[in-house]
Amino acid sequence: LTLTGTLAGQVAVNSSSEGEVRIVLSGASITSSTTAALAITDADEAIVVLAAGTTNGLTGPSAFADTTSEDAPNAALFSMADLTLGGTGALTVTAPAEDGIASKDGLVITGGTITVKAADDGIRGKDHLVVTAGTLQVTSGGDALKSDNDKDADSGFIAIKGGSVTFTAGGDGL
């Protein structure tokens, strides 16, 4: 799936199939006034690719419409599945409410120039957050980078193995 152009609304991915779902952002600008701009609500694994030479934007709402459901999106880019974010393009994520980028499973960043401005946490992977490459600039009211699974001894970690990370955080940096 390749996304280009401007959308006022939401792109939702709901795939019960085994395997990966690949979403290519190629000059896409998505702004939602009620929920996540890009939400992966069901997938075995999700991959978001930032196409080379493109600038992309995801903007979440100033208030989320659903704040009571356990699995309700709470980030401008939200995934219920393991999420990999990479490529060589650029992505700006603006989250006037809640988090910038969040996965309810693991989150791996393998490239791209990613700028996040979030009211709460900047980038959050529940099970893990791994950065192997790319340039990240995060400004957040809460934690800049976060992994918060405290129920599994092998989860809840952040690993920065490469790339560049710059942040300003109202809470913890990592």
Side-chain angles (χ1 to χ4, degrees):
L1 171 65
T2 300
L3 302 174
T4 63
T6 301
L7 172 68
Q10 178 192 51
V11 173
V13 175
N14 186 348
S15 173
S16 59
S17 299
E18 290 293 318
E20 67 184 40
V21 173
R22 182 177 300 265
I23 303 149
V24 178
L25 298 179
S26 183
S29 178
I30 305 167
T31 301
S32 175
S33 62
T34 58
T35 189
L38 176 56
I40 295 103
T41 58
D42 189 15
D44 188 33
E45 178 182 356
I47 298 172
V48 174
V49 178
L50 307 174
T54 66
T55 300
N56 303 279
L58 300 173
T59 303
S62 57
F64 281 81
D66 182 353
T67 58
T68 58
S69 300
E70 180 180 343
D71 293 331
N74 62 349
L77 170 53
F78 176 83
S79 180
M80 288 295 296
D82 284 324
L83 175 64
T84 300
L85 179 58
T88 58
L91 174 64
T92 298
V93 177
T94 306
E98 302 291 340
D99 299 345
I101 300 171
S103 172
K104 290 281 232 169
D105 277 337
L107 174 58
V108 177
I109 298 174
T110 62
T113 300
I114 302 167
T115 303
V116 177
K117 295 178 184 172
D120 192 18
D121 299 328
I123 302 174
R124 181 173 46 85
K126 177 82 174 168
D127 292 343
H128 57 267
L129 172 57
V130 177
V131 178
T132 62
T135 302
L136 281 66
Q137 184 170 352
V138 179
T139 303
S140 62
D143 301 333
L145 305 180
K146 184 175 186 174
S147 180
D148 57 1
N149 184 334
D150 59 1
K151 294 181 176 34
D152 184 351
D154 294 329
S155 295
F157 65 88
I158 297 171
I160 300 175
K161 298 179 175 187
S164 168
V165 179
T166 305
F167 57 81
T168 302
D172 295 329
L174 305 175

